Structure formats: structure tokens, C-alpha cells
Amino acid sequence: MKLLDSVDRRIVAATQAGLPLVREPYRAIAEQVGIDEAAVIARLKRLLDEGAIRRIGAIPNHYALGFTANGMSVWDVADDAVAGIGAKIGALDEVTHCYQRPRHLPLWPYNLFAMVHGHTREEVRGKVAQIAELIGTAARSHDILFSTRILKKTGLRIAA
């Protein structure tokens, strides 16, 4: 992947908070950036293909949709099994984020993290129980850390 040039950076800066809510969003971005619409579309496609951006799409506000119970499930699995188990968990529809992180023994044995959302904490507990069944004995232990309030919620932002 090559580094972003100044035009790519301006496109990313213009779209990182979402596409403009207009009939022709790519044309509006092109006008803002100072290039033509076809060039904006071609550059976004290249950035997707190169992995510089992950997707272009709608991101629902799960809170507004009633998914207010958010639980970070934490798992203690063998280090040599994290990649395989993480791939299984990460492929589940109910998991929105899945990460490997270091343990901090002896107090924190967990090395795999998976965010699960639900309407209620009981719903989240049920989804985590299904994940536990999927993993089976590969998970030595697990827990759920429920969110209590939002302090900040944004994605990475870059300057143009």
C-alpha cells in the first residue's frame, strides 16, 4: 500500500465523517476537493482495493436502533489458538469488533476480545453463551464487561 497523496488525504478528510447527504455525494466531494467526480470514485476504489480504507457504507447508530446493552466479551484462549478462534468469533454477525490483546498476568488472563451488542444485558449474555458453545473447551474462561456510558465514540480522523 502506498502512502496517501494530498488529494487522497483531502478525499478521506471529506468522507471520514460520512458521505454528504445529497443526491450526488461523489459530485459534492469532487467539488470540495477540486477534482472531477470520476476521479473521486476511482481514487476511493483504489483506496478500498489497497486496504487504506475498509468500506464505504452506512453505519447504523446502534443506540438509536435500541441496541443499548454493549458487552465486551473477554476470553482466555491458548495463544497459539487465538488467530483461529478469533476468526470464528469475528465472523459472527453478533460480533462487531474482535481483537487479540496481551494478557496481564496474574490479574488479567484474557487475550481475545469481542464486542457484542443487544437490546438488554440478558440478550448479550445469551449471545456470549452461544459464542462459548462455539469455542467449547478452547476457552479456559471468559467474562463480559458491560459499557455504562459513552465517553467518546468516533473513528480515526485525519487532517486533509
Side-chain angles (χ1 to χ4, degrees):
M1 178 175 73
K2 70 177 193 172
L3 295 175
L4 300 182
D5 66 20
S6 64
V7 175
D8 290 339
R9 289 183 72 82
R10 290 196 314 269
I11 291 170
V12 170
T15 59
Q16 64 191 353
L19 295 177
L21 297 177
V22 297
R23 182 176 294 276
E24 296 178 306
Y26 297 107
R27 183 178 307 271
I29 295 163
E31 290 170 2
Q32 180 180 345
V33 172
I35 62 175
D36 66 61
E37 181 180 19
V40 167
I41 293 169
R43 282 176 174 263
L44 284 170
K45 182 177 180 345
R46 179 181 48 77
L47 292 170
L48 279 167
D49 291 345
E50 291 176 353
I53 58 177
R54 289 183 294 192
R55 65 182 171 270
I56 299 171
I59 301 172
N61 179 335
H62 61 276
Y63 294 97
L65 297 173
F67 291 89
T68 56
N70 307 294
M72 179 63 77
S73 62
V74 294
W75 305 85
D76 174 13
V77 299
D79 290 329
D80 62 356
V82 163
I85 293 170
K88 282 183 184 178
I89 293 174
L92 299 172
D93 288 341
E94 58 266 28
V95 173
T96 58
H97 305 77
C98 189
Y99 305 99
Q100 178 181 2
R101 293 195 173 144
R103 306 170 192 278
H104 293 283
L105 297 172
L107 301 175
W108 190 256
Y110 306 111
N111 60 340
L112 184 60
F113 295 64
M115 180 59 83
V116 177
H117 302 279
H119 292 95
T120 65
R121 287 184 176 202
E122 278 310 307
E123 182 182 350
V124 170
R125 286 185 188 100
K127 291 176 180 181
V128 171
Q130 290 174 341
I131 295 170
E133 285 182 34
L134 173 70
I135 297 172
T137 59
R140 295 179 284 233
S141 66
H142 71 277
D143 204 345
I144 307 171
L145 309 173
F146 284 102
S147 300
T148 56
R149 63 184 171 134
I150 301 170
L151 301 175
K152 180 179 181 182
K153 186 160 182 67
T154 64
L156 173 69
R157 299 287 189 250
I158 65 166

